[in-house]
């Protein structure tokens, strides 16, 4: 189901965006839903979409070199899921799975890339907004890595030397 510009304007991630930009994005958007347990993204498969969560939660994970995965973050309503569609090689850099039933706005990332190529101001605005999301997620990961491990009082992260 396609979305109207006004519906997109209510999404926190898109708040304050120009009406013309929202109108363009609406051509690439639709409402969708996922049952709990549905995997939305698997690294390193092709990344062709992104979502704004309206209801439910989505867990981000990352594959471990020896197999398995590690939980990275849990995203709640209002959060945007997926930025890998923006950057070559357009492959998921993290995995995502619905941890509860989810209702979301889904965007066709390939179409949004075309819209951004045609209108660089839209591309700049989306890049700026996604950069803020990535910076926030990086800070969250950093905080988690530096937090003391339960029962040890020492940070979980490993020492890094340059």
């Amino acid at each position: 189901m396609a979305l109207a510009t006004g519906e997109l304007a209510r999404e926190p991630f898109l708040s304050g965006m120009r009406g013309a930009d929202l109108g363009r994005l609406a051509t690439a958007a639709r409402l969708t839903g996922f049952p709990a347990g549905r995997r939305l993204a698997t690294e390193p498969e092709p990344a062709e979409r992104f979502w704004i969560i309206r209801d439910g939660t989505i867990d981000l994970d990352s594959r471990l070199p020896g197999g398995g995965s590690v939980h990275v973050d849990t995203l709640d309503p209002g959060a945007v899921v997926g930025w890998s569609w923006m950057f070559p090689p357009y492959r998921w850099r993290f995995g995502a799975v619905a941890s509860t039933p989810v209702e979301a706005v889904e965007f066709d990332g390939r179409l949004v890339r075309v819209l951004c190529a045609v209108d660089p101001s839209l591309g700049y605005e989306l890049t700026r907004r996604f950069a803020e999301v990535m910076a926030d997620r990086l800070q969250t990961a950093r905080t988690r890595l530096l937090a003391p491990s339960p029962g040890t009082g020492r940070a979980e992260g490993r020492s890094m030397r340059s």
Side-chain angles (χ1 to χ4, degrees):
M1 171 187 196
L3 289 177
T5 301
E7 289 180 89
L8 288 181
R10 289 191 290 272
E11 299 298 335
F13 178 71
L14 302 175
S15 178
M17 191 173 265
R18 296 181 318 173
D21 290 343
L22 291 171
R24 287 182 191 89
L25 287 175
T27 67
R30 69 182 187 100
L31 292 176
T32 191
F34 305 101
R38 167 80 51 88
R39 182 158 286 280
L40 286 69
T42 303
E43 9 170 11
E45 291 181 3
E48 300 172 345
R49 339 185 124 55
F50 67 99
W51 301 269
I52 297 175
I53 303 170
R54 284 194 157 179
D55 190 43
T57 56
I58 294 177
D59 286 330
L60 299 181
D61 57 26
S62 186
R63 291 184 348 177
L64 296 171
S69 64
V70 63
H71 179 263
V72 174
D73 203 356
T74 298
L75 305 179
D76 298 313
V80 64
V81 180
W83 47 263
S84 299
W85 65 273
M86 285 186 84
F87 305 104
Y90 310 115
R91 296 196 169 275
W92 292 116
R93 289 163 174 90
F94 292 93
V97 64
S99 51
T100 67
V102 170
E103 292 178 17
V105 179
E106 179 179 86
F107 293 86
D108 178 334
R110 292 171 297 178
L111 178 53
V112 174
R113 282 197 310 264
V114 169
L115 295 171
C116 291
V118 170
D119 181 358
S121 67
L122 171 62
Y124 170 78
E125 186 61 28
L126 281 177
T127 301
R128 186 186 66 74
R129 289 166 188 257
F130 274 98
E132 288 179 18
V133 168
M134 294 185 310
D136 288 346
R137 300 230 175 107
L138 181 60
Q139 183 61 36
T140 298
R142 180 180 182 273
T143 300
R144 247 189 224 120
L145 283 171
L146 297 176
S149 297
T152 68
R154 295 190 341 212
E156 292 182 46
R158 294 193 174 104
S159 173
M160 296 176 60
R161 295 179 185 207
S162 49

